[in-house]
Amino acid sequence: MPAAMSEAEVEEMCLDLLVELGYERVYGPDISEGGIAPERNYSEVVLVDRLRQALRRINRSVPDDAIDDAVKKVLRVESQNLVENNQSFHRLVTEGVGVQYKRADGSVKDDVVWLFDYANVGNNEFLAVNQFTVKEERYNRRPDIVLFVNGLPLVVVELKNPSDEKADLTGAYQQFETYKQQIPSIFRYNEILVVSDGTYAKA
């Protein structure tokens, strides 16, 4: 790899690879408030419309009211503790979201809304979003790449300039520690963290 490769070039290379793997590439500012196709405010880390559409597509036997209830449960934050919030979300990933709804005969049915289609992977939506700005309280931070599955930010990627000897993977890891303090909302949903300098990567 050329020593002169910039961080922007590393980002471009990473995005090209993700597209080859089946991700749709999306530029963060385009889908944020003020963008050409806004889907979110800067304080929102979940692409809610995409999530709702995916849940309806995956859980076809579940009525819309129950799908809406499942979306509310996914968005609900029940603790001030980041680890507890992340563990709570992970249970929804692995166990599904419990819902109740009335059948046509008036009886109540307990059901599960699944966030992902594990049987048919192609039924899920995969987005690679670069320059995804998050505003939380007085902080304004922009992870390099966020990977969304069905509107949920499951993977955060932090890249470093390979030509800068001081910008190593340890620095990228420390950047994540800063993000956890300043924009914890995105880490409620995080399943994987990736740091890379274009040559080496750690997850």
Side-chain angles (χ1 to χ4, degrees), residues 23-202:
Y23 283 81
E24 177 187 351
R25 176 176 174 172
V26 176
Y27 184 48
D30 286 348
I31 62 170
S32 302
E33 57 183 288
I36 61 175
E39 300 182 30
R40 60 179 287 263
N41 297 322
Y42 283 114
S43 61
E44 297 172 324
V45 298
V46 174
L47 304 178
V48 179
D49 288 343
R50 293 178 187 264
L51 172 62
R52 184 176 289 108
Q53 291 169 14
L55 297 191
R56 287 174 177 165
R57 184 171 64 248
I58 295 166
N59 304 274
R60 293 190 178 277
S61 65
V62 179
D64 285 350
D65 287 350
I67 294 294
D68 290 342
D69 184 42
V71 170
K72 289 177 183 177
K73 289 181 179 180
V74 170
L75 298 177
R76 185 181 303 145
V77 177
E78 299 178 353
S79 171
Q80 296 298 314
N81 184 286
L82 178 58
V83 174
E84 290 179 4
N85 284 334
N86 185 259
Q87 291 173 340
S88 174
F89 173 71
H90 185 71
R91 284 192 292 272
L92 300 181
V93 170
T94 57
E95 301 172 11
V97 184
V99 295
Q100 282 189 337
Y101 53 87
K102 283 188 177 182
R103 298 186 179 96
D105 63 4
S107 62
V108 176
K109 179 176 175 57
D110 291 305
D111 210 339
V112 174
V113 170
W114 294 100
L115 302 182
F116 311 107
D117 192 332
Y118 294 104
N120 180 10
V121 175
N123 202 27
N124 301 295
E125 180 189 48
F126 298 87
L127 298 180
V129 183
N130 64 317
Q131 305 303 314
F132 186 79
T133 298
V134 179
K135 293 182 180 179
E136 195 162 342
E137 295 184 353
R138 66 182 185 277
Y139 298 107
N140 182 335
R141 295 293 177 256
R142 188 176 59 196
D144 292 321
I145 300 174
V146 181
L147 304 186
F148 290 80
V149 182
N150 296 341
L152 295 166
L154 300 188
V155 182
V156 181
V157 181
E158 186 66 20
L159 303 171
K160 291 300 175 185
N161 187 341
S163 64
D164 184 350
E165 294 181 358
K166 297 180 180 179
D168 57 10
L169 297 187
T170 299
Y173 173 79
Q174 292 171 344
Q175 186 69 54
F176 278 138
E177 293 301 300
T178 299
Y179 287 161
K180 289 177 187 178
Q181 296 294 322
Q182 297 179 350
I183 53 170
S185 58
I186 197 168
F187 293 97
R188 162 170 164 72
Y189 305 97
N190 179 253
E191 294 288 308
I192 301 173
L193 297 173
V194 179
V195 295
S196 178
D197 62 1
T199 303
Y200 302 101
K202 290 185 179 182

